[in-house]
Amino acid sequence: LNPNLEKIMIDIPGIILAGGLSRRMGGGDKGLLMLGKTTIIERVIDKISPQVGSLAININGDSSRFPDYKLPIIPDSIKGYLGPLSGILAGMEWAFKNGNRYIATVAADTPFLPDDLIKRLHAMVKSKNLNIGIAASRILSGDDVFIHPTFGIWEVALKDDLRDALANDTRKIMFWAKKFKLDYYYFDTSDKLSDPFFNINTPDDLEEAKYRLKKGLL
């Protein structure tokens, strides 16, 4: 972990969603690709672990393909590649067994995420008594707004509704989430290059991430 990073820990579990098929990257686990001297997912772990009380990785399929990061591995609880909602459900069910009220989720392919992401989302959820809080970025140079549904805080009590929604073929996070009391926390950034939610979907994205790393934007 970065010894210079101020620890802003919120005592809820964090779940890294790493269950995607990575089709645009040619398949496999893009979180295991190298970015500099370490993997993408290790950079995500380094960013998010100081922010939460505990941390686990959600995957789809055989867990043996992942190195031992000394973190719990949570498989999707519903078979089939049902997308990130299935990973959120798996995280909720895991947290429910541990008596947690909320979980926080982040994507495994976003190594530049904010150091205070969970603190800000959690404060919004608590102050507004929300079921769900979701991150967004606002690009000030063009007034563009982007919603990032895989970066959120979720009330664990929603797990049964989510399981039913998945059973009824709901796959889009926002289609399901908008049924509940939710709001967005906007992270302002000067331009797209400095957006902390830049994610790595394609080989070109990986090259851009390497450029950002070289420029010290991580």
Side-chain angles (χ1 to χ4, degrees):
L1 297 178
N2 182 349
N4 298 317
L5 178 63
E6 180 185 357
K7 189 168 184 178
I8 311 172
M9 188 269 282
I10 303 297
D11 192 18
I12 61 175
I15 312 293
I16 298 174
L17 301 174
L21 294 173
S22 304
R23 291 188 180 95
R24 285 181 285 175
M25 192 63 78
D29 294 289
K30 58 185 172 181
L32 300 182
L33 296 174
M34 297 299 294
L35 177 57
K37 296 181 179 180
T38 188
T39 62
I40 296 169
I41 195 170
E42 283 179 282
R43 293 186 179 277
V44 174
I45 291 169
D46 188 59
K47 279 277 189 174
I48 202 65
S49 58
Q51 301 187 45
V52 293
S54 58
L55 187 62
I57 300 174
N58 161 253
I59 66 159
N60 194 317
D62 182 10
S63 64
S64 65
R65 67 188 192 271
F66 274 78
D68 183 7
Y69 292 124
K70 308 299 182 185
L71 296 173
I73 300 292
I74 305 171
D76 282 359
S77 56
I78 301 178
K79 291 184 179 180
Y81 291 92
L82 304 186
L85 271 179
S86 184
I88 293 169
L89 174 62
M92 286 179 173
E93 292 176 336
W94 176 71
F96 176 76
K97 294 175 183 177
N98 295 323
N100 298 110
R101 182 177 177 184
Y102 301 101
I103 62 166
T105 60
V106 299
D109 61 357
T110 311
F112 306 98
L113 60 91
D115 294 333
D116 57 355
L117 170 68
I118 306 306
K119 176 187 177 183
R120 294 184 182 277
L121 284 176
H122 185 260
M124 180 183 71
V125 166
K126 296 292 283 185
S127 66
K128 297 185 177 183
N129 194 28
L130 303 174
N131 303 117
I132 300 169
I134 289 175
S137 52
R138 191 159 41 196
I139 312 299
L140 299 179
S141 59
D143 295 324
D144 292 325
V145 171
F146 300 94
I147 306 300
H148 306 290
T150 52
F151 293 82
I153 287 183
W154 314 84
E155 194 168 17
V156 171
L158 305 180
K159 63 183 180 60
D160 293 335
D161 191 282
L162 178 51
R163 177 172 280 276
D164 289 343
L166 284 163
N168 286 290
D169 295 324
T170 297
R171 298 292 179 265
K172 293 187 177 296
I173 294 176
M174 293 311 304
F175 181 84
W176 173 74
K178 286 180 178 179
K179 294 166 55 180
F180 305 99
K181 190 176 180 182
L182 72 85
D183 204 348
Y184 308 98
Y185 188 93
Y186 294 92
F187 290 82
D188 290 338
T189 183
S190 58
D191 51 42
K192 288 184 179 180
L193 184 61
S194 56
D195 184 358
F197 298 99
F198 170 79
N199 64 317
I200 300 170
N201 282 319
T202 67
D204 286 345
D205 291 339
L206 182 57
E207 291 307 308
E208 183 170 336
K210 291 176 181 178
Y211 172 79
R212 290 179 60 141
L213 186 63
K214 184 178 179 180
K215 291 293 185 180
L217 298 173
L218 184 63

